[in-house]
Amino acid sequence: MAIKYKEIADRLEREIREGKFDQTKKLPTEEELIKKFEVSRNTIRKAVTQLVNRGYIYQVQGSGMFLREESVTDYINLGSLRGLTKDLTSKTIETKILSLHVVEADELTAKGLRCEGGTKLYYVKRLRIVDEEPFSIEISYFKKDVVPYLNEDIASNSIYSYLIDHLKLNIGFADKVINCEKIDEESAELLHIDPFDPALIIENTVCLTNGTIFELSKSIFHFQKAKILNRINFK
């Protein structure tokens, strides 16, 4: 069952993208949103927090919820778990499947996923291509008892859309570790850069809302093309 506040946030995001609020440059009031969606005030406030974190709106106490003027597209949003297709909305994204098969968790991967060694996992390695140029290499492990089925058709599109829309997973939170490394020859060839050039690395440990870790991933980004965005609220 999908989480209601996330459904509301996704719907309001679509409406913002479609220009529904371009004339007023602000969202309806809390009271209007409560009436529109027939939910509690707490649910609306959680949905609004999602939109703030995604970079679409900001709140002014006593005045309302305003649309941010500057575009927040074309950046890797650290506050989002929704993937490149949601972050780089103005770009054409293609995906080349490099590997997709079931493996057994080795000691290191099992430790990261907090599962037993030998647990069945989907291993997915993809090359992400943005506007016809190689952009990143993504290596992911998914617990098969949480994600029972993946194929190349699913992996060639947005895996997260599949997890949310079809498997109805309630994805909750993630730890992200960012660092830079010199790239190896195989990855350099895929990204069309020189061996031992720098690469931006983001490692994700992703959990369901109940705290269950279901994915470990590592993304290796072209150092000249990846831009990182993090929306911070001063409190």
Side-chain angles (χ1 to χ4, degrees), residues 8-220:
I8 293 170
D10 289 344
R11 179 169 167 184
L12 289 171
E13 179 184 332
R14 287 195 299 272
E15 291 179 352
I16 291 170
R17 289 183 181 277
E18 292 165 359
K20 184 172 182 177
F21 309 111
D22 283 356
Q23 187 171 356
T24 60
K25 298 296 182 184
K26 63 186 298 187
L27 293 185
T29 65
E30 267 191 11
E31 297 296 339
E32 289 170 329
L33 292 174
I34 289 168
K35 185 176 179 181
K36 175 179 179 178
F37 293 107
E38 299 181 335
V39 294
S40 68
R41 188 178 304 277
N42 187 51
T43 298
I44 290 299
R45 288 181 175 175
K46 286 183 176 180
V48 167
T49 298
Q50 288 270 308
L51 293 174
V52 171
N53 292 340
R54 295 177 191 181
Y56 286 102
I57 64 171
Y58 64 97
Q59 296 175 273
V60 179
Q61 188 171 0
S63 298
M65 300 170 284
F66 294 85
L67 271 61
R68 297 191 69 144
E69 291 294 333
E70 294 186 7
S71 170
V72 294
T73 61
D74 302 341
Y75 295 87
I76 301 159
N77 188 345
L78 290 182
S80 171
L81 294 175
R82 300 173 304 154
L84 287 185
T85 54
K86 293 290 187 180
D87 288 341
L88 308 182
T89 55
S90 71
K91 305 292 188 180
T92 300
I93 299 175
E94 301 172 70
T95 302
K96 180 179 180 181
I97 308 300
L98 303 175
S99 183
L100 194 165
H101 56 274
V102 175
V103 298
E104 293 184 354
D106 59 22
E107 183 178 352
L108 182 61
T109 307
K111 182 178 179 180
L113 285 166
R114 296 182 191 168
C115 64
E116 297 292 332
T119 297
K120 299 293 185 181
L121 311 172
Y122 271 109
Y123 170 84
V124 185
K125 184 175 181 179
R126 306 187 294 174
L127 176 66
R128 309 305 296 275
I129 300 164
V130 177
D131 287 346
E132 301 183 347
E133 294 289 337
F135 184 83
S136 66
I137 300 164
E138 295 178 358
I139 301 168
S140 302
Y141 293 91
F142 295 95
K143 283 183 179 175
K144 199 171 185 298
D145 61 349
V146 179
V147 183
Y149 182 71
L150 279 178
N151 62 17
E152 290 201 4
D153 184 52
I154 294 167
S156 294
N157 295 284
S158 170
I159 292 179
Y160 266 61
S161 291
Y162 168 72
L163 299 181
I164 295 166
D165 297 336
H166 295 276
L167 296 186
K168 306 299 182 184
L169 295 186
N170 290 325
I171 299 170
F173 52 92
D175 291 331
K176 295 192 176 190
V177 177
I178 303 170
N179 69 301
C180 291
E181 298 176 2
K182 290 183 178 180
I183 201 165
D184 59 57
E185 291 188 20
E186 179 184 355
S187 298
E189 184 176 355
L190 288 169
L191 291 177
H192 296 177
I193 58 179
D194 293 328
F196 308 113
D197 271 352
L200 175 68
I201 312 293
I202 300 181
E203 296 177 301
N204 294 297
T205 303
V206 191
C207 300
L208 303 176
T209 53
N210 64 8
T212 299
I213 299 172
F214 74 95
E215 179 195 3
L216 288 181
S217 68
K218 177 179 180 179
S219 295
I220 305 166

